[in-house]
Amino acid sequence: MKTKLYFTAMMLLGCVGVSSAQAQNQECMTNLSIYVEHAKVKNYEAAYTPWKMVYENCPDINWANFAYGERILKDRIKKSTGADKDANIQELLTLYDNSMKYFPKKASLAPVIIDKVLLKYDNKMIGDEEIYSQLSKAFHEDKPNFKNPKALYLYFSSLVDLHKAGSKDLQEVFDVYDDVTEKIEDENVKLTDRISALLPKEEAGTLTSKEKKQLKAATTNSESFGKIEGSIDSKLGDLADCGNLIPLYQKSFEEKKNDINWVKRAVGRMFNKECTDDPMFKKLFEAQMALDPSADAYVYGGNLKLKAGDRNGAVADFNKALDLETNARKKSNIAYKVATVFRRSSKSTARSYAQKAIDANPSNGRAYLLIANLYATSANDCGSTPFEKRAIYWRAAEMARKAGRVDPSLSGRANQSAASYSAKAPSKTDIFNSGMAGKTVTFKCWVGGSVKVPNL
């Protein structure tokens, strides 16, 4: 009898528990609806209390607890001071941790670490050591989801500051620089691929409203990566000049000469910084050729031959590099490198390789910028009158604008260049006085082609 009474009591308690849970769940659903409506219209103050009830009692009921919770708490942080502000910051830090606990498929490691670091950084609650260690963890353990431009910059910038303070060596700075710039390039490739697919539809006027949003978002994000990349290069500054690179590689060569990744990065950095006259470059290049006679290696070999006066041998190596490379984007990058080698000695050859770069990858904005510069620096060679000579700047400006369109990460440089070239082109007064409005100027120099003079 006692046993029957015991089981009866347990069943009743169970029913009460289920009923209580159902009631609480219903209350959570009601408050969820209330705070979401407030949050949608940015009335975060009114949203806080019902959000707090749902978050504390039913944290896993809906992702909105974290998506809107972040906005609600950021608003409270913005409007509070002193101890209240500190408490709100701690609550948001805990929310970030809980987002990964309750919704691991939506909140992965890197974004959570990044959100916490940026929150502390914006509120001056974190130093370089913690910034670097936390973002390094995020980068190495969840690299695919490390996409925040500001965090990429802070990751590198904090390391440079630690190096200048004497706690990190120069090789680590270069390693992280390579990792970060490669990540930026990878992310921008995805964006420019999307832009390239949508631009023809935009020009044809057939973009859907969804595609317009996608194009706008891709353009904005690419611009952000471009700005961050420029900031990272500025932060690296003179640390990567020949005076630092050469002794570093001399010191590490014997230890690292069989590490193909180290050798390739060292050769590439010395090439990009024009340290190719130093014997160390040749030593590194020969090590790369022995380990991996890749397409890039033939580019560097061609450059050495060109400096030695062997133009035919250099061209043969450059073309060998292009023949070896099967990846279109890498082929484009090689062609662009070759174009930069010839930009001073033969502008027509430089343009030829720049065009090959564009043919392989229409999103290679750097190639368009190079062609723009080649045109602009040929003004004195392309025309018999001052007007004709200055008309070349219209073509240069057109190329520069194209660079920013196909690769928005270059839009800052592209827009600046286009504006500079346009300012050097004939003015409205010049067009009026020359009587050339609406006429065509033909270029009889290496540039070839023509440009139509704007109508007044």
Side-chain angles (χ1 to χ4, degrees):
M1 182 67 179
K2 287 183 178 179
T3 302
K4 289 181 70 174
L5 287 172
Y6 173 78
F7 279 117
T8 301
M10 290 300 293
M11 289 178 66
L12 286 171
L13 286 171
C15 290
V16 170
V18 171
S19 177
S20 175
Q22 289 176 338
Q24 186 181 55
N25 190 64
Q26 183 56 51
E27 187 178 0
C28 284
M29 291 301 295
T30 300
N31 279 283
L32 174 67
S33 298
I34 293 171
Y35 86 67
V36 166
E37 289 305 311
H38 285 308
K40 280 182 178 178
V41 295
K42 300 182 180 181
N43 188 357
Y44 299 124
E45 188 173 346
Y48 178 73
T49 299
W51 166 79
K52 183 81 167 174
M53 180 272 160
V54 182
Y55 173 62
E56 290 183 343
N57 293 283
C58 313
D60 60 351
I61 197 171
N62 196 293
W63 174 245
N65 281 339
F66 299 94
Y68 283 119
E70 179 183 34
R71 301 181 198 178
I72 291 167
L73 290 175
K74 280 187 173 180
D75 181 71
R76 290 175 69 82
I77 291 168
K78 183 179 179 181
K79 295 176 179 176
S80 58
T81 58
D84 287 341
K85 184 171 186 176
D86 291 341
N88 288 324
I89 290 172
Q90 290 304 318
E91 188 169 14
L92 181 52
L93 290 171
T94 301
L95 179 137
Y96 287 140
D97 287 332
N98 285 337
S99 68
M100 194 161 57
K101 175 182 176 181
Y102 292 108
F103 291 91
K105 291 183 179 179
K106 284 184 174 288
S108 63
L109 180 67
V112 167
I113 290 178
I114 288 169
D115 284 338
K116 292 175 68 176
V117 168
L118 293 183
L119 176 62
K120 291 180 180 180
Y121 176 80
D122 290 340
N123 288 281
K124 297 179 174 59
M125 299 169 62
I126 191 171
D128 287 329
E129 192 67 54
E130 186 181 356
I131 290 173
Y132 180 64
S133 64
Q134 287 297 304
L135 293 181
S136 180
K137 175 182 174 67
F139 191 89
H140 289 101
E141 295 184 21
D142 190 19
K143 186 176 179 180
N145 293 307
F146 198 122
K147 300 179 181 181
N148 186 294
K150 183 177 179 180
L152 283 167
Y153 174 75
L154 281 178
Y155 175 36
F156 180 70
S157 175
S158 61
L159 173 59
V160 172
D161 290 341
L162 290 170
H163 165 71
K164 290 180 178 178
S167 62
K168 297 292 181 181
D169 63 34
L170 188 58
Q171 184 61 58
E172 187 170 357
V173 172
F174 289 149
D175 289 342
V176 172
Y177 173 82
D178 288 333
D179 287 340
V180 169
T181 53
E182 284 174 9
K183 178 62 176 176
I184 289 173
E185 183 178 355
D186 289 345
E187 292 301 320
N188 198 51
V189 163
K190 299 172 189 174
L191 295 169
T192 54
D193 281 348
R194 187 62 183 146
I195 291 168
S196 292
L198 293 175
L199 280 179
K201 298 186 71 175
E202 182 189 49
E203 292 169 1
T206 59
L207 280 178
T208 65
S209 57
K210 181 179 179 181
E211 288 171 334
K212 287 179 181 178
K213 291 179 181 179
Q214 291 175 342
L215 179 58
K216 182 179 180 180
T219 299
T220 300
N221 291 332
S222 180
E223 288 173 352
S224 296
F225 279 118
K227 291 174 183 176
I228 289 300
E229 185 173 27
S231 298
I232 288 172
D233 284 337
S234 296
K235 187 72 179 183
L236 181 65
D238 293 337
L239 290 178
D241 64 15
C242 299
N244 283 322
L245 291 175
I246 293 167
L248 176 68
Y249 295 147
Q250 288 172 334
K251 176 184 176 183
S252 304
F253 182 75
E254 288 303 320
E255 178 189 351
K256 299 278 193 178
K257 64 183 179 181
N258 292 316
D259 181 343
I260 184 58
N261 189 50
W262 180 86
V263 170
K264 289 175 74 172
R265 284 182 167 184
V267 174
R269 190 175 292 112
M270 289 192 74
F271 180 86
N272 291 332
K273 291 296 180 178
E274 299 185 353
C275 308
T276 53
D277 289 333
D278 191 88
M280 193 64 216
F281 177 80
K282 186 176 181 181
K283 195 173 182 179
L284 285 163
F285 159 71
E286 289 172 348
Q288 180 175 345
M289 286 295 285
L291 293 168
D292 179 24
S294 64
D296 275 331
Y298 279 99
V299 174
Y300 306 137
N303 188 60
L304 288 174
K305 289 179 180 178
L306 196 64
K307 284 182 176 293
D310 183 6
R311 182 184 175 89
N312 291 335
V315 171
D317 274 2
F318 293 146
N319 290 333
K320 176 71 172 176
L322 290 172
D323 290 339
L324 276 175
E325 187 54 69
T326 57
N327 179 282
R329 195 170 287 273
K330 290 181 179 179
K331 185 186 287 286
S332 177
N333 290 339
I334 289 172
Y336 172 76
K337 283 182 182 177
V338 177
T340 63
V341 170
F342 283 107
R343 70 184 183 275
R344 292 188 182 92
S345 60
S346 175
K347 291 177 181 177
S348 60
T349 304
R351 180 180 62 178
S352 176
Y353 279 103
Q355 188 58 54
K356 288 180 181 179
I358 294 168
D359 292 341
N361 172 25
S363 296
N364 194 330
R366 293 180 303 165
Y368 282 107
L369 274 178
L370 177 57
I371 293 174
N373 178 260
L374 294 172
Y375 288 167
T377 54
S378 297
N380 289 331
D381 304 320
C382 295
S384 56
T385 67
F387 187 94
E388 290 177 352
K389 291 179 179 181
R390 291 171 59 195
I392 195 71
Y393 289 112
W394 279 316
R395 287 198 70 184
E398 179 187 0
M399 279 292 174
R401 284 190 291 270
K402 184 73 172 178
R405 194 72 184 111
V406 301
D407 184 355
S409 71
L410 299 172
S411 59
R413 286 171 53 195
N415 292 339
Q416 186 176 16
S417 296
S420 174
Y421 298 148
S422 294
K424 294 175 182 178
S427 66
K428 289 184 177 180
T429 301
D430 295 328
I431 296 172
F432 177 79
N433 291 336
S434 68
M436 290 291 291
K439 295 182 180 179
T440 298
V441 175
T442 300
F443 303 111
K444 297 178 181 178
C445 58
W446 72 270
V447 172
S450 61
V451 66
K452 186 175 181 180
V453 178
N455 282 305
L456 294 175

